[in-house]
Amino acid sequence: MENKVNIFLFGKKYEVPSNLTIMGAMEYAGYQLVRGCGCRNGFCGACATIYRIAGKRELNTCLACQTKVEEGMYIATLPFFPLVKQVYDIEKIPTTETVMMQLYPEIYSCVGCNACTKACTQGLNVMQYIAYAQRGDFEGCAEESFDCVMCGVCSSRCPAGISHPQVALLARRINGKYLAPKSAHLQERVQEIKDGTFEELLEALMQKSIDEMKELYNNREIEK
């Protein structure tokens, strides 16, 4: 017989197999997941979840698709958090810290509580990348926030109301467009595509079956 644990989904008790993830347990319990499920592999951030273990005070955060259930787990999913998302033209914005002052001034209200870092489902040093953004170090912010999946849990715990994922996204865009070294190989390939160099090849590929495509992919020449 499978080992079972007792969990609470949105306040209702269920007995589920102990080897399931939270997402799997929700489906086992009869929930039909239409939203908040995404990739199911920990990359999209759609299944942000908060939980508490019975008898403990700590409020924990995780992604439901990659966290196993535990005995006495009280669970509530947070598939969306209302982040502040400013609109800007990446072709016209400045590349100094003034852009953060203009678009996300709330980052300068950070009180250094580190709740964002403690809550991060990816284990990122969120407070550190906000510090980089404050002083216009977009390369540092981009590097530190690279694995962010924009689940919004960090922002849900922030007393200053900072939209950390959107700040990080802006920093990565600035870094990628203006600061990071350009790839000559990539630029050449983009130009070749614009010139139509690969149109005949693409047409041939589109006529192949899925199995033929898999065979080509598995035996492709990999650039060193």
Side-chain angles (χ1 to χ4, degrees):
M1 180 178 250
E2 296 175 310
N3 291 325
K4 299 287 187 71
V5 293
N6 294 303
I7 64 171
F8 297 82
L9 298 172
F10 308 103
K12 187 175 181 180
K13 185 178 179 180
Y14 296 91
E15 188 179 46
V16 301
S18 61
N19 63 340
L20 295 178
T21 62
I22 292 174
M23 185 175 288
M26 291 179 70
E27 292 179 315
Y28 180 90
Y31 287 84
Q32 183 180 11
L33 302 182
V34 179
R35 295 183 179 179
C37 48
C39 68
R40 297 173 178 262
N41 280 295
F43 298 112
C44 73
C47 61
T49 299
I50 54 177
Y51 69 90
R52 177 176 279 136
I53 304 298
K56 297 183 179 180
R57 296 179 57 189
E58 293 83 7
L59 188 64
N60 303 286
T61 57
C62 68
L63 296 179
C65 67
Q66 58 184 203
T67 305
K68 283 192 173 183
V69 292
E70 298 179 42
E71 177 66 35
M73 184 181 269
Y74 285 78
I75 300 163
T77 58
L78 185 70
F80 172 76
F81 186 79
L83 300 171
V84 174
K85 182 179 180 181
Q86 300 293 3
V87 177
Y88 50 83
D89 185 344
I90 194 65
E91 302 289 344
K92 298 178 181 179
I93 60 174
T95 57
T96 64
E97 64 270 19
T98 57
V99 69
M100 291 296 177
M101 295 177 186
Q102 294 169 5
L103 296 176
Y104 296 105
E106 62 272 15
I107 67 173
Y108 299 98
S109 299
C110 174
V111 296
C113 66
N114 212 29
C116 52
T117 300
K118 293 175 182 176
C120 180
T121 58
Q122 296 292 88
L124 302 181
N125 192 339
V126 182
M127 191 173 76
Q128 179 60 63
Y129 77 62
I130 290 298
Y132 285 136
Q134 287 173 335
R135 54 180 181 263
D137 183 355
F138 301 123
E139 183 178 1
C141 183
E143 180 67 26
E144 196 73 45
S145 68
F146 188 77
D147 289 325
C148 173
V149 293
M150 302 191 74
C151 67
V153 171
C154 55
S155 297
S156 73
R157 306 295 293 159
C158 179
I162 298 171
S163 291
H164 311 75
Q166 293 294 345
V167 172
L169 182 60
L170 174 56
R172 292 197 298 276
R173 285 172 172 168
I174 291 174
N175 186 60
K177 182 168 181 61
Y178 297 109
L179 307 178
K182 302 299 181 185
S183 170
H185 175 79
L186 177 60
Q187 290 178 312
E188 289 173 6
R189 181 53 54 88
V190 170
Q191 189 57 50
E192 287 175 344
I193 293 172
K194 289 181 178 179
D195 293 341
T197 305
F198 302 103
E199 287 183 6
E200 186 176 337
L201 173 62
L202 290 172
E203 286 293 334
L205 287 174
M206 290 173 66
Q207 304 306 315
K208 295 186 180 298
S209 67
I210 295 296
D211 288 336
E212 288 176 311
M213 291 293 289
K214 287 180 178 178
E215 183 67 22
L216 285 172
Y217 180 81
N218 292 331
N219 294 284
R220 70 195 186 282
E221 182 180 348
I222 300 176
E223 185 179 14
K224 302 297 183 183

